[in-house]
């Protein structure tokens, strides 16, 4: 049987789902760069030929670590589903002579280089400027038209996003973004390979989204994502996922597969995604391309990732379209023939619909909950009436334990302040959207209070502007990631004969 080295870090689809699908296609050796929650650790021991959690010293030169581990286990393929490990794995595959995303992987991670590449190809996107210092930010604010969005160039999950409505807000936005990225790095939600990534930012104009003319019913967010894969440099779209409106500033609340787009409009969206992926020059990897929808059929590129969408995007595709994209990618990387869809699948080919909801302490109007509440999924399941035939479940490895206090939503922290991730299956996408709206409205009333007569958790948040967005990371857990690139040879403890597993205490995060 073929051998695969799976490099795991924060973010991406649930690890339990990935392991079960990959282990059905090959012998899997797991290199875990973040600690595993107990339930996943147990599955890993059962499904994997070995599980190794390297020390910080061993991770100091991440590419060398991956290469050494791959050689030790005789890996025929190396892959990751985590945004934070994409570049390191791509470089390791190059060194090993294995199929991978290629040298262009960094273009799909660094938002500055991504936007420069698309600009050279004349693709539609917001006006932007890269920034590395506070002085750079002031120059950019003077050159661009406010309101602007300041982003960390290597972030995920809307972390460290700051809206700059006027030049006077630039200093505060800069300080807040840098502080948030520093906290995220300590929690493990940061680029693992590029040591200087924490100092890279981009600021861009906020474009005005509009769903009129795109969707037949209200309630949809004004951006979509095209899920796909690149094989031998050829982009192969799989489907399009829709969204609920974001929470201020642009934190994703829910993703729904499939998006309820008419076929001709889906074709236009997919065509732009193809241009975006082709411009980046990726070779062999999953892709996740987000596109902003505007009035009169306008579109703008938000970003592309050289991996599949995070959260529950991959399980949603499998449930709705019957495609095990994890297993299919493993087969492709191992050189086996794979029957990818000839064109992007849509509502006509779907078997129902599925969506994932990020539980945030923000109501449907974008206002903070009046008081603190405790997360309790059994209460939610019993108290909230959903549509007939709809089923709701919770993703344990991406959720806080029942009884935990729901974090106060922090706009700068994005989805790092989520309490849970829920999966809903229904007859069609409209029903998923309707049931999620019901859930969002009900949660602050049905969840038990954290403290009797608790004070307000914070001021009301204005409704999220209908514009740019990204997808979430998840609850905080595990040890902080090591982001150094100093050279250090892997120790003998990484021998395949000596697997070791260390469970995490709290939940494992995901990022879409």
């Amino acid at each position: 049987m073929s051998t695969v080295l799976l490099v795991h870090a924060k973010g991406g689809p649930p690890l339990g789902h990935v392991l079960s699908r990959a282990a059905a296609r090959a012998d899997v050796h797991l290199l875990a760069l973040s600690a595993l929650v107990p339930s996943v650790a147990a599955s890993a021991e059962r499904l994997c030929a070995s599980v190794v959690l390297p020390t910080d010293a061993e991770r100091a030169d991440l590419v060398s670590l991956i290469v050494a581990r791959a050689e030790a286990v005789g890996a025929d393929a190396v892959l990751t589903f985590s945004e934070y490990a994409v570049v390191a794995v791509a470089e390791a595959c190059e060194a090993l002579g294995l199929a991978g995303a290629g040298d262009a992987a960094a273009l799909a991670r660094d938002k500055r280089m991504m936007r420069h590449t698309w600009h050279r190809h004349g693709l539609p996107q917001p006006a932007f400027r890269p920034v590395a210092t506070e002085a750079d930010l002031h120059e950019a604010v003077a050159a661009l038209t406010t309101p602007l969005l300041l982003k960390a160039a290597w972030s995920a999950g809307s972390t460290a996003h700051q809206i700059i409505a006027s030049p006077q807000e630039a200093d505060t936005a800069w300080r807040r973004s840098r502080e948030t990225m520093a906290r995220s790095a300590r929690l493990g939600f940061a680029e693992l390979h590029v040591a200087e990534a924490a100092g890279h930012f981009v600021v861009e104009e906020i474009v005005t989204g509009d769903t009129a003319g795109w969707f037949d019913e209200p309630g949809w967010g004004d951006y979509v994502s095209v899920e796909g894969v690149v094989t031998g440099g050829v982009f192969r779209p799989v489907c399009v996922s829709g969204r609920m409106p974001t929470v201020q500033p642009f934190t994703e609340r829910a993703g729904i597969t499939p998006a309820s787009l008419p076929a001709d409009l889906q074709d236009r969206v997919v065509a732009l995604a193809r241009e975006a992926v082709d411009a980046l020059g990726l070779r062999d990897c999953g892709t996740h391309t987000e596109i902003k929808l505007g009035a009169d059929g306008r579109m703008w590129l938000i970003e592309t990732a050289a991996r599949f969408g995070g959260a529950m995007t991959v399980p949603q595709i499998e449930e709705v379209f019957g495609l095990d994209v994890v297993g299919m990618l493993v087969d492709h990387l191992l050189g086996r023939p794979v029957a990818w869809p000839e064109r992007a699948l849509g509502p006509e080919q779907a078997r129902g619909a599925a969506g994932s909801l990020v539980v945030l302490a923000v109501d449907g109007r974008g206002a903070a909950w009046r008081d603190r509440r405790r997360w309790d999924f059994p209460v939610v399941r019993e108290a909230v009436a959903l549509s007939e035939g709809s089923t709701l479940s919770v993703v344990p490895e991406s959720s806080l334990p029942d009884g935990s206090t729901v974090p106060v939503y922090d706009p700068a922290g994005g989805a790092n302040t989520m309490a849970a991730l829920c999966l809903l299956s229904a007859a069609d996408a409209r029903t998923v959207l309707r049931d999620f709206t019901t859930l969002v409205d009900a949660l602050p009333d049905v969840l038990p209070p954290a403290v009797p007569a608790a004070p307000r958790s914070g001021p009301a948040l204005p409704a999220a502007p209908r514009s740019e967005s990204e997808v979430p990371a998840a609850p905080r857990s595990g040890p902080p990631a090591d982001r150094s690139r100093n050279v250090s040879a892997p120790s003998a403890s990484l021998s395949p004969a000596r697997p070791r597993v260390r469970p995490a205490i709290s939940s494992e995060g995901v990022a879409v």
Side-chain angles (χ1 to χ4, degrees):
M1 196 172 189
S2 299
T3 299
V4 168
L5 177 64
L6 175 62
V7 181
H8 168 67
K10 295 290 182 68
L15 180 57
H17 180 94
V18 169
L19 285 178
S20 64
R21 273 60 179 178
R25 310 296 180 110
D27 289 331
V28 176
H29 293 264
L30 181 64
L31 180 61
L33 304 179
S34 61
L36 309 180
V37 298
S39 61
V40 175
S43 296
E45 287 202 55
R46 176 173 53 85
L47 294 170
C48 296
S50 72
V51 180
V52 168
L53 284 86
T55 65
D56 287 347
E58 291 166 341
R59 294 189 303 178
D61 182 352
L62 190 52
V63 173
S64 293
L65 169 66
I66 296 169
V67 168
R69 185 64 186 152
E71 292 176 337
V73 303
D76 302 298
V78 179
L79 73 163
T80 187
F81 295 90
S82 167
E83 180 80 353
Y84 306 116
V86 161
V87 175
V89 168
E91 291 187 15
C93 288
E94 290 291 288
L96 292 161
L98 299 175
D103 293 335
L107 300 182
R109 274 291 287 133
D110 184 343
K111 296 175 178 61
R112 305 166 307 160
M113 295 193 293
M114 189 186 305
R115 293 231 175 274
H116 278 304
T117 301
W118 287 340
H119 177 71
R120 289 196 301 271
H121 284 78
L123 299 180
Q125 62 178 337
F128 72 98
R129 294 287 188 279
V131 294
T133 66
E134 198 166 355
D136 288 345
L137 179 58
H138 280 284
E139 291 181 9
V141 171
L144 298 171
T145 301
T146 56
L148 304 172
L149 181 64
L150 177 64
K151 300 177 177 180
W154 297 78
S155 68
S158 305
T159 304
H161 282 192
Q162 291 286 298
I163 293 176
I164 301 174
S166 68
Q168 292 72 32
E169 297 179 5
D171 291 340
T172 299
W174 178 252
R175 182 177 65 255
R176 183 77 168 118
S177 285
R178 290 179 62 84
E179 290 172 351
T180 301
M181 285 306 297
R183 286 198 302 273
S184 295
R186 290 193 293 271
L187 296 168
F189 294 101
E191 169 60 32
L192 295 173
H193 178 48
V194 182
E196 64 274 16
H200 297 163
F201 291 81
V202 64
V203 64
E204 56 193 44
E205 293 181 358
I206 295 177
V207 295
T208 302
D210 193 337
T211 59
W214 291 96
F215 297 100
D216 294 332
E217 63 279 334
W220 289 95
D222 57 9
Y223 74 108
V224 295
S225 61
V226 180
E227 323 302 343
V229 68
V230 178
T231 61
V234 177
F235 175 61
R236 302 181 186 278
V238 173
C239 67
V240 179
S241 297
R243 298 295 187 279
M244 290 183 75
T246 57
V247 177
Q248 185 194 22
F250 297 108
T251 301
E252 179 173 316
R253 194 193 287 273
I256 301 171
T257 307
S260 290
L261 289 173
D264 59 330
L265 297 182
Q266 173 164 301
D267 288 344
R268 290 191 59 223
V269 167
V270 170
L272 179 57
R274 184 184 301 279
E275 291 185 272
V277 174
D278 287 350
L280 296 177
L282 300 169
R283 284 212 309 265
D284 295 282
C285 59
T287 62
H288 172 79
T289 303
E290 297 177 0
I291 295 175
K292 181 79 171 181
L293 307 177
D296 302 319
R298 292 195 66 187
M299 295 181 285
W300 301 267
L301 291 167
I302 299 175
E303 66 182 46
T304 286
R307 44 86 183 167
F308 291 132
M312 295 299 286
T313 303
V314 166
Q316 288 166 208
I317 293 172
E318 184 171 326
E319 177 175 340
V320 172
F321 295 112
L323 296 178
D324 169 15
V325 292
V326 171
M328 294 167 74
L329 180 60
V330 168
D331 279 343
H332 169 72
L333 295 177
L334 292 172
R336 300 167 183 163
V338 178
W340 297 100
E342 294 183 0
R343 58 181 299 159
L345 304 175
E348 298 81 8
Q349 294 82 35
R351 301 178 303 189
S356 47
L357 176 74
V358 176
V359 176
L360 301 167
V362 181
D363 66 21
R365 298 177 295 108
W369 290 356
R370 295 183 302 274
D371 50 21
R372 303 297 299 278
R373 296 280 167 161
R374 287 186 291 112
W375 173 245
D376 192 323
F377 179 69
V379 168
V380 174
R381 185 174 52 203
E382 294 300 320
V384 181
L386 302 176
S387 301
E388 183 177 356
S390 295
T391 58
L392 182 70
S393 59
V394 68
V395 185
E397 66 183 87
S398 304
S399 304
L400 297 176
D402 289 330
S404 301
T405 300
V406 176
V408 174
Y409 175 67
D410 177 7
N416 284 356
T417 51
M418 69 185 279
L421 182 66
C422 293
L423 177 68
L424 190 141
S425 302
D428 52 41
R430 294 175 178 82
T431 304
V432 174
L433 181 62
R434 182 171 61 248
D435 284 347
F436 275 166
T437 301
T438 299
L439 269 171
V440 168
D441 291 340
L443 285 174
D445 296 323
V446 303
L447 288 175
V451 179
R456 288 180 60 88
S457 59
L461 297 170
R466 298 178 66 182
S467 59
E468 217 279 348
S469 175
E470 297 186 289
V471 201
R476 306 171 298 282
S477 67
D482 182 88
R483 295 178 292 114
S484 171
R485 295 183 68 179
N486 297 325
V487 175
S488 174
S491 73
S493 65
L494 295 185
S495 155
R498 299 182 61 186
R500 61 184 188 268
V501 179
R502 181 177 69 238
I505 300 302
S506 57
S507 63
E508 174 67 19
V510 295
V512 182

